[in-house]
Amino acid sequence: MHAPRLLIDTDPGVDDALAILMAHHSAEVVGLTIAAGNVGLGHTVANALKLVELIGAETPVYPGCATPLVRPAADAAYVHGEDGFGDAGLTPSSRRAADEHAVMAILRLSREFPGQLTLVALGPLTNLALALRIDPELPSRFARLVIMGGAVNGRGNTHRVPAEFNIGFDPEAAHVVFSNWPKFDLVDWEATVRHGLDYAEFAQWLQVDSPRARFYAAISRRTCDWAQAQGRARLYSADALAMAVALDPDIISQARECHVGIELDGSLTRGATVVDWEGRLQQPANARIILGVDQAR
Ligand code: BDR
Ligand code: CA
Protein backbone atom coordinates (compact mmCIF):
# COMPACT_ATOMS: atom_id res chain seq x y z
CA MET A 1 0.00 0.00 0.00
CA HIS A 2 1.39 3.39 -1.01
CA ALA A 3 0.67 5.85 1.84
CA PRO A 4 -1.46 8.75 0.59
CA ARG A 5 -1.05 12.36 1.63
CA LEU A 6 -4.26 13.49 3.30
CA LEU A 7 -6.25 16.62 4.01
CA ILE A 8 -9.06 15.78 6.44
CA ASP A 9 -12.23 17.85 6.80
CA THR A 10 -13.89 16.78 10.04
CA ASP A 11 -16.16 17.53 13.02
CA PRO A 12 -14.58 15.50 15.85
CA GLY A 13 -16.57 13.44 17.15
CA VAL A 14 -15.74 10.03 18.59
CA ASP A 15 -15.56 8.16 15.26
CA ASP A 16 -13.74 11.10 13.64
CA ALA A 17 -11.12 10.67 16.38
CA LEU A 18 -10.54 7.03 15.46
CA ALA A 19 -10.22 7.99 11.80
CA ILE A 20 -7.72 10.76 12.61
CA LEU A 21 -5.65 8.39 14.75
CA MET A 22 -5.60 5.87 11.89
CA ALA A 23 -4.60 8.57 9.40
CA HIS A 24 -1.65 9.75 11.48
CA HIS A 25 -0.47 6.17 11.89
CA SER A 26 -0.47 5.33 8.19
CA ALA A 27 -0.21 8.54 6.17
CA GLU A 28 1.04 12.10 6.04
CA VAL A 29 -1.69 14.51 7.14
CA VAL A 30 -1.24 18.08 5.89
CA GLY A 31 -4.07 19.57 7.90
CA LEU A 32 -7.37 19.18 9.68
CA THR A 33 -10.07 21.56 8.50
CA ILE A 34 -12.88 21.73 11.00
CA ALA A 35 -16.62 22.14 10.69
CA ALA A 36 -19.50 22.22 13.14
CA GLY A 37 -21.57 19.05 13.14
CA ASN A 38 -21.46 16.46 15.88
CA VAL A 39 -21.16 19.41 18.31
CA GLY A 40 -20.51 23.14 17.96
CA LEU A 41 -17.36 24.51 16.32
CA GLY A 42 -15.73 25.53 19.63
CA HIS A 43 -15.78 21.90 20.74
CA THR A 44 -14.83 20.35 17.37
CA VAL A 45 -11.79 22.64 17.10
CA ALA A 46 -10.79 21.95 20.72
CA ASN A 47 -11.15 18.21 20.10
CA ALA A 48 -8.98 18.33 16.99
CA LEU A 49 -6.28 20.20 18.93
CA LYS A 50 -6.48 17.66 21.73
CA LEU A 51 -6.03 14.83 19.23
CA VAL A 52 -2.96 16.23 17.48
CA GLU A 53 -1.42 16.95 20.88
CA LEU A 54 -2.06 13.37 21.99
CA ILE A 55 -0.58 12.01 18.76
CA GLY A 56 2.41 14.32 19.09
CA ALA A 57 1.89 15.58 15.54
CA GLU A 58 2.37 19.11 14.23
CA THR A 59 -0.73 18.86 12.01
CA PRO A 60 -2.32 22.33 11.78
CA VAL A 61 -5.97 22.71 12.77
CA TYR A 62 -8.01 25.21 10.72
CA PRO A 63 -11.35 26.36 12.17
CA GLY A 64 -14.11 26.49 9.57
CA CYS A 65 -17.83 27.11 9.36
CA ALA A 66 -19.83 27.33 12.57
CA THR A 67 -23.24 26.78 10.96
CA PRO A 68 -24.73 25.02 7.93
CA LEU A 69 -25.01 27.12 4.76
CA VAL A 70 -28.74 27.83 4.87
CA ARG A 71 -30.82 26.37 7.69
CA PRO A 72 -29.87 25.68 11.29
CA ALA A 73 -29.49 22.01 12.22
CA ALA A 74 -29.43 19.92 15.40
CA ASP A 75 -26.11 18.47 16.50
CA ALA A 76 -25.38 14.87 17.60
CA ALA A 77 -24.36 15.55 21.22
CA TYR A 78 -26.76 12.80 22.28
CA VAL A 79 -24.36 10.32 20.61
CA HIS A 80 -20.93 11.94 21.09
CA GLY A 81 -21.47 13.77 24.42
CA GLU A 82 -21.95 17.50 25.02
CA ASP A 83 -18.26 18.13 24.29
CA GLY A 84 -18.16 15.68 21.35
CA PHE A 85 -15.58 13.52 23.14
CA GLY A 86 -17.83 11.55 25.47
CA ASP A 87 -17.76 14.14 28.30
CA ALA A 88 -14.69 12.31 29.61
CA GLY A 89 -13.38 15.33 31.51
CA LEU A 90 -10.19 15.69 29.45
CA THR A 91 -7.81 18.56 30.12
CA PRO A 92 -8.05 20.95 27.16
CA SER A 93 -5.01 21.16 24.90
CA SER A 94 -2.76 24.18 25.26
CA ARG A 95 -2.26 24.25 21.49
CA ARG A 96 -3.73 27.01 19.35
CA ALA A 97 -5.71 26.68 16.16
CA ALA A 98 -4.33 28.28 12.97
CA ASP A 99 -5.47 31.81 12.11
CA GLU A 100 -6.40 30.83 8.57
CA HIS A 101 -10.03 29.83 7.92
CA ALA A 102 -10.60 26.20 6.89
CA VAL A 103 -12.06 27.20 3.50
CA MET A 104 -8.98 29.27 2.68
CA ALA A 105 -6.72 26.45 3.87
CA ILE A 106 -8.44 23.94 1.57
CA LEU A 107 -7.92 26.29 -1.38
CA ARG A 108 -4.29 27.05 -0.49
CA LEU A 109 -3.26 23.45 0.25
CA SER A 110 -4.81 22.27 -3.03
CA ARG A 111 -2.43 24.69 -4.80
CA GLU A 112 0.58 23.78 -2.69
CA PHE A 113 0.14 20.04 -3.39
CA PRO A 114 -1.54 19.96 -6.84
CA GLY A 115 -2.78 16.47 -7.74
CA GLN A 116 -1.20 14.98 -4.61
CA LEU A 117 -3.82 15.14 -1.87
CA THR A 118 -6.61 12.79 -0.94
CA LEU A 119 -9.35 14.85 0.67
CA VAL A 120 -11.26 12.89 3.28
CA ALA A 121 -14.57 14.48 4.31
CA LEU A 122 -15.80 13.11 7.64
CA GLY A 123 -18.33 15.75 8.60
CA PRO A 124 -20.97 18.03 7.09
CA LEU A 125 -19.75 19.36 3.74
CA THR A 126 -20.05 23.08 4.59
CA ASN A 127 -16.36 24.01 4.27
CA LEU A 128 -15.93 22.05 1.08
CA ALA A 129 -19.03 23.57 -0.54
CA LEU A 130 -17.79 27.10 0.14
CA ALA A 131 -14.34 26.26 -1.21
CA LEU A 132 -15.98 24.90 -4.38
CA ARG A 133 -18.10 28.01 -4.80
CA ILE A 134 -14.98 30.19 -4.52
CA ASP A 135 -13.00 28.02 -6.92
CA PRO A 136 -14.93 25.60 -9.17
CA GLU A 137 -11.59 24.22 -10.44
CA LEU A 138 -10.85 22.79 -6.98
CA PRO A 139 -11.58 19.11 -7.84
CA SER A 140 -8.91 19.13 -10.56
CA ARG A 141 -6.22 19.78 -7.94
CA PHE A 142 -7.09 16.81 -5.70
CA ALA A 143 -6.05 13.24 -6.44
CA ARG A 144 -9.16 11.84 -4.79
CA LEU A 145 -12.15 12.74 -2.58
CA VAL A 146 -13.60 10.25 -0.09
CA ILE A 147 -16.86 11.28 1.57
CA MET A 148 -18.43 9.67 4.62
CA GLY A 149 -22.09 10.43 4.15
CA GLY A 150 -25.52 9.40 2.97
CA ALA A 151 -27.68 6.32 3.16
CA VAL A 152 -27.93 4.91 -0.34
CA ASN A 153 -31.09 2.85 0.16
CA GLY A 154 -32.83 5.34 2.41
CA ARG A 155 -31.92 3.75 5.75
CA GLY A 156 -30.42 6.80 7.43
CA ASN A 157 -29.61 7.52 11.05
CA THR A 158 -31.52 10.74 11.78
CA HIS A 159 -35.10 11.72 12.56
CA ARG A 160 -35.64 12.50 8.90
CA VAL A 161 -35.72 8.83 8.13
CA PRO A 162 -33.68 8.50 4.90
CA ALA A 163 -31.12 11.14 5.90
CA GLU A 164 -27.70 10.32 7.30
CA PHE A 165 -26.24 12.84 9.78
CA ASN A 166 -23.45 14.51 7.73
CA ILE A 167 -25.68 15.09 4.72
CA GLY A 168 -28.78 15.87 6.81
CA PHE A 169 -26.92 18.52 8.84
CA ASP A 170 -26.17 20.59 5.73
CA PRO A 171 -28.05 19.33 2.66
CA GLU A 172 -27.37 22.50 0.63
CA ALA A 173 -23.62 22.05 1.11
CA ALA A 174 -23.91 18.39 0.13
CA HIS A 175 -25.87 19.44 -2.96
CA VAL A 176 -23.10 21.85 -4.00
CA VAL A 177 -20.44 19.15 -3.58
CA PHE A 178 -22.39 16.28 -5.15
CA SER A 179 -23.34 18.35 -8.17
CA ASN A 180 -19.89 19.88 -8.78
CA TRP A 181 -17.31 17.24 -7.84
CA PRO A 182 -16.97 15.00 -10.90
CA LYS A 183 -16.18 11.73 -9.09
CA PHE A 184 -15.78 10.76 -5.45
CA ASP A 185 -15.86 7.66 -3.26
CA LEU A 186 -18.93 7.51 -1.04
CA VAL A 187 -18.86 5.51 2.19
CA ASP A 188 -22.43 5.64 3.46
CA TRP A 189 -24.16 4.81 6.72
CA GLU A 190 -25.54 1.51 5.41
CA ALA A 191 -22.02 0.31 4.55
CA THR A 192 -21.06 1.33 8.09
CA VAL A 193 -23.82 -0.87 9.50
CA ARG A 194 -22.73 -3.81 7.31
CA HIS A 195 -19.18 -3.43 8.63
CA GLY A 196 -19.81 -3.02 12.36
CA LEU A 197 -17.20 -3.90 14.96
CA ASP A 198 -17.63 -6.52 17.65
CA TYR A 199 -17.95 -4.74 21.03
CA ALA A 200 -15.85 -7.29 22.93
CA GLU A 201 -13.08 -7.32 20.31
CA PHE A 202 -13.05 -3.55 20.26
CA ALA A 203 -12.79 -3.43 24.07
CA GLN A 204 -9.83 -5.79 23.80
CA TRP A 205 -8.04 -3.48 21.37
CA LEU A 206 -8.38 -0.73 23.97
CA GLN A 207 -6.61 -2.84 26.61
CA VAL A 208 -3.28 -2.12 24.91
CA ASP A 209 -1.03 -0.19 27.27
CA SER A 210 -0.67 3.08 25.36
CA PRO A 211 -1.79 6.69 25.84
CA ARG A 212 -3.79 6.50 22.62
CA ALA A 213 -5.68 3.38 23.73
CA ARG A 214 -6.44 4.93 27.13
CA PHE A 215 -7.58 8.13 25.47
CA TYR A 216 -9.83 6.32 23.03
CA ALA A 217 -11.28 4.12 25.77
CA ALA A 218 -12.18 7.28 27.72
CA ILE A 219 -13.82 9.17 24.87
CA SER A 220 -15.67 6.18 23.39
CA ARG A 221 -17.15 4.80 26.64
CA ARG A 222 -20.30 6.89 26.53
CA THR A 223 -21.05 6.30 22.85
CA CYS A 224 -20.47 2.52 23.23
CA ASP A 225 -22.91 2.42 26.15
CA TRP A 226 -25.40 4.50 24.20
CA ALA A 227 -25.13 2.24 21.12
CA GLN A 228 -25.67 -0.90 23.18
CA ALA A 229 -28.63 0.67 24.98
CA GLN A 230 -30.10 1.43 21.54
CA GLY A 231 -29.90 -2.29 20.79
CA ARG A 232 -27.22 -1.90 18.11
CA ALA A 233 -25.72 -5.34 17.58
CA ARG A 234 -22.28 -3.95 16.73
CA LEU A 235 -20.29 -0.79 17.10
CA TYR A 236 -20.60 1.44 14.04
CA SER A 237 -17.60 3.63 13.31
CA ALA A 238 -18.53 5.43 10.11
CA ASP A 239 -15.53 7.74 9.85
CA ALA A 240 -13.05 4.95 10.62
CA LEU A 241 -14.51 2.91 7.76
CA ALA A 242 -14.24 5.89 5.39
CA MET A 243 -10.65 6.43 6.51
CA ALA A 244 -9.81 2.77 5.91
CA VAL A 245 -11.09 3.18 2.33
CA ALA A 246 -9.08 6.40 1.94
CA LEU A 247 -5.87 4.85 3.27
CA ASP A 248 -6.06 1.62 1.33
CA PRO A 249 -8.51 1.46 -1.60
CA ASP A 250 -7.45 -2.17 -2.13
CA ILE A 251 -9.74 -3.16 0.75
CA ILE A 252 -12.79 -2.36 -1.41
CA SER A 253 -14.45 -5.64 -2.40
CA GLN A 254 -17.63 -4.30 -3.97
CA ALA A 255 -18.64 -0.91 -5.38
CA ARG A 256 -21.12 0.63 -7.85
CA GLU A 257 -20.76 3.84 -9.81
CA CYS A 258 -24.00 5.83 -9.91
CA HIS A 259 -25.37 9.31 -10.01
CA VAL A 260 -26.33 10.48 -6.50
CA GLY A 261 -28.37 13.63 -5.85
CA ILE A 262 -29.40 15.33 -2.61
CA GLU A 263 -33.01 15.92 -1.59
CA LEU A 264 -33.35 19.50 -0.30
CA ASP A 265 -37.06 19.49 0.61
CA GLY A 266 -39.54 17.42 2.55
CA SER A 267 -40.18 17.20 6.28
CA LEU A 268 -39.29 13.50 6.16
CA THR A 269 -36.85 13.41 3.28
CA ARG A 270 -34.65 16.55 3.38
CA GLY A 271 -31.03 15.40 3.33
CA ALA A 272 -31.70 12.05 1.64
CA THR A 273 -29.13 10.79 -0.87
CA VAL A 274 -31.11 9.77 -3.95
CA VAL A 275 -29.28 7.13 -5.97
CA ASP A 276 -30.13 6.59 -9.64
CA TRP A 277 -29.31 2.86 -9.50
CA GLU A 278 -30.74 2.17 -12.98
CA GLY A 279 -29.30 5.23 -14.73
CA ARG A 280 -32.74 6.58 -15.60
CA LEU A 281 -31.67 10.21 -15.34
CA GLN A 282 -28.93 9.65 -17.90
CA GLN A 283 -26.54 11.71 -15.81
CA PRO A 284 -22.88 10.79 -15.41
CA ALA A 285 -22.04 8.82 -12.28
CA ASN A 286 -20.59 11.19 -9.67
CA ALA A 287 -20.18 8.60 -6.89
CA ARG A 288 -18.40 5.31 -6.53
CA ILE A 289 -20.58 3.84 -3.78
CA ILE A 290 -18.52 1.55 -1.56
CA LEU A 291 -20.72 -1.47 -0.86
CA GLY A 292 -18.24 -3.91 0.67
CA VAL A 293 -14.73 -4.01 2.07
CA ASP A 294 -12.43 -6.78 3.25
CA GLN A 295 -13.26 -6.28 6.90
CA ALA A 296 -10.67 -8.63 8.36
CA ARG A 297 -7.97 -6.68 6.57
C1 BDR B 1 -21.50 10.48 10.65
O1 BDR B 1 -22.19 11.40 11.50
C2 BDR B 1 -21.40 11.75 12.60
O2 BDR B 1 -22.14 11.70 13.77
C3 BDR B 1 -20.24 10.80 12.62
O3 BDR B 1 -19.08 11.45 13.11
C4 BDR B 1 -20.08 10.39 11.18
O4 BDR B 1 -19.27 11.30 10.46
C5 BDR B 1 -22.26 9.17 10.65
O5 BDR B 1 -23.56 9.36 10.17
CA1 CA C 1 -17.83 12.90 11.59
Side-chain angles (χ1 to χ4, degrees):
M1 159 178 116
H2 169 69
R5 198 175 250 174
L6 305 180
L7 173 60
I8 306 173
D9 191 71
T10 173
D11 61 334
V14 176
D15 59 333
D16 300 76
L18 185 54
I20 292 165
L21 287 167
M22 290 164 65
H24 282 85
H25 183 263
S26 304
E28 181 192 347
V29 183
V30 301
L32 300 178
T33 54
I34 311 298
N38 283 322
V39 286
L41 188 69
H43 284 305
T44 54
V45 169
N47 293 347
L49 291 168
K50 184 76 193 169
L51 265 171
V52 291
E53 181 183 73
L54 170 87
I55 295 165
E58 294 306 318
T59 315
V61 171
Y62 301 97
C65 297
T67 62
L69 290 184
V70 180
R71 295 201 215 164
D75 66 22
Y78 67 98
V79 182
H80 297 264
E82 291 302 319
D83 68 358
F85 267 2
D87 298 326
L90 305 171
T91 317
S93 167
S94 53
R95 295 211 183 174
R96 273 175 49 91
D99 289 332
E100 189 178 22
H101 191 279
V103 174
M104 297 303 149
I106 293 171
L107 294 166
R108 177 179 56 78
L109 289 164
S110 74
R111 290 185 188 283
E112 262 174 49
F113 298 97
Q116 296 169 46
L117 296 177
T118 294
L119 178 55
V120 191
L122 304 176
L125 293 165
T126 322
N127 292 332
L128 192 45
L130 279 180
L132 259 172
R133 279 292 190 239
I134 292 171
D135 183 358
E137 297 301 316
L138 188 68
S140 69
R141 295 197 299 277
F142 279 95
R144 192 174 165 219
L145 168 63
V146 178
I147 296 176
M148 190 287 126
V152 297
N153 291 299
R155 302 190 70 170
N157 58 359
T158 68
H159 292 301
R160 287 194 308 273
V161 175
E164 175 279 332
F165 179 80
N166 287 342
I167 306 297
F169 188 86
D170 195 345
E172 281 75 17
H175 171 71
V176 169
V177 175
F178 279 53
S179 45
N180 291 288
W181 205 286
K183 188 63 78 66
F184 50 86
D185 281 346
L186 187 66
V187 179
D188 81 322
W189 177 252
E190 294 165 35
T192 305
V193 172
R194 281 195 300 279
H195 298 86
L197 304 170
D198 182 75
Y199 289 111
E201 193 180 343
F202 191 70
Q204 234 173 24
W205 294 351
L206 298 181
Q207 295 301 310
V208 173
D209 183 24
S210 87
R212 278 175 286 181
R214 280 191 288 280
F215 170 84
Y216 205 76
I219 70 165
S220 61
R221 191 162 297 126
R222 184 186 187 282
T223 177
C224 279
D225 291 349
W226 175 84
Q228 281 170 297
Q230 293 290 302
R232 289 186 175 176
R234 310 194 110 207
L235 178 63
Y236 305 144
S237 192
D239 293 339
L241 180 64
M243 186 56 73
V245 166
L247 290 171
D248 186 2
D250 287 349
I251 68 166
I252 299 167
S253 56
Q254 201 191 353
R256 268 281 295 277
E257 297 201 357
C258 291
H259 178 80
V260 182
I262 306 295
E263 175 59 78
L264 298 177
D265 301 310
S267 58
L268 278 176
T269 54
R270 178 172 153 77
T273 37
V274 180
V275 181
D276 184 11
W277 293 106
E278 279 94 30
R280 277 181 236 150
L281 300 176
Q282 310 235 316
Q283 296 207 37
N286 52 356
R288 175 168 70 149
I289 301 168
I290 310 306
L291 296 168
V293 304
D294 176 347
Q295 182 147 8
R297 190 160 157 192

